[in-house]
């Protein structure tokens, strides 16, 4: 029976002068930070995430009422900004009226746009979520012929990862 290498060589990683691979970004970041502490020229380093995946975390139900409420909140902030901006050029008690008017009008229009925008989806997306990218592996890559020096520092510090 043939022996199968559990970590076969990766020609792309080898060509990129990968000095270490990590399963989590904070580990790769810690390795680069350690190289920096050792006065290594970090401007020759890249952290490259591989095997990317999109992670969408569902945060709750989205109803027309909730969409209108979220739209009203963001519209109120925008209205406050506009009210403050216009208020810079106004004196006297009209300043407060501009700010309050901006907040109210912004909230009203935001609620309308939130409601209509959600209704336009026709029920195809009745949830709210956040999206992020995550990588299965983070390679620390060193350019400029300095890979061996970086590898030696990381080995000495016990930060070799899986490479």
């Amino acid at each position: 029976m043939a022996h199968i290498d559990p970590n076969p060589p990766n020609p792309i990683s080898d060509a990129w002068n990968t000095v270490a691979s990590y399963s989590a970004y904070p580990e790769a970041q810690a390795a680069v930070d350690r190289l920096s502490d050792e006065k290594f020229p970090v401007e020759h380093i890249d952290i490259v995430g591989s095997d990317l995946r999109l992670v969408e975390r569902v945060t709750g139900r989205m109803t027309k009422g909730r969409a209108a409420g979220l739209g009203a909140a963001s519209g109120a902030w925008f209205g406050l900004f506009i009210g403050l901006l216009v208020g810079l050029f106004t004196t006297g008690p009209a300043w407060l009226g501009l700010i309050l008017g901006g907040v109210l009008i912004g909230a009203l229009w935001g609620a309308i746009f939130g409601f209509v925008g959600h209704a336009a989806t026709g029920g195809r997306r009745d949830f709210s979520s956040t999206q992020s990218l995550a990588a299965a592996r983070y390679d620390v890559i060193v350019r400029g012929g300095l890979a061996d020096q970086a590898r030696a520092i990381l080995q000495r510090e016990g930060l070799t990862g899986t490479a």
Side-chain angles (χ1 to χ4, degrees):
M1 197 167 182
H3 172 70
I4 298 175
D5 185 1
N7 295 315
N10 182 339
I12 294 173
S13 293
D14 293 343
W16 278 7
N17 295 314
T18 300
V19 297
S21 291
Y22 302 94
S23 59
Y25 179 76
E27 295 171 345
Q29 189 178 20
V32 173
D33 186 53
R34 188 67 197 149
L35 289 168
S36 178
D37 292 345
E38 295 291 323
K39 308 297 186 237
F40 185 84
V42 292
E43 60 273 8
H44 294 280
I45 298 175
D46 295 318
I47 298 175
V48 178
S50 300
D51 300 326
L52 294 177
R53 60 188 176 268
L54 175 68
V55 178
E56 183 171 9
R57 184 171 307 269
V58 177
T59 57
R61 288 191 49 78
M62 182 60 73
T63 63
K64 291 179 182 103
R66 184 163 186 233
L70 292 171
S74 84
W77 278 111
F78 184 71
L80 175 64
F81 171 72
I82 296 299
L84 286 171
L85 189 64
V86 172
L88 288 174
F89 304 103
T90 305
T91 58
W95 182 80
L96 184 60
L98 282 171
I99 292 174
L100 290 175
V103 169
L104 293 175
I105 292 171
L108 176 66
W109 280 106
I112 291 169
F113 282 120
F115 181 87
V116 170
H118 180 68
T121 66
R124 288 184 308 273
R125 183 147 174 108
D126 287 339
F127 62 92
S128 59
S129 63
T130 60
Q131 293 181 350
S132 63
L133 286 176
R137 185 181 80 243
Y138 297 89
D139 294 332
V140 175
I141 310 237
V142 177
R143 301 178 311 279
L146 301 168
D148 290 336
Q149 180 186 353
R151 251 187 227 103
I153 293 170
L154 292 176
Q155 286 173 351
R156 185 177 73 232
E157 300 296 328
L159 297 170
T160 55
T162 59

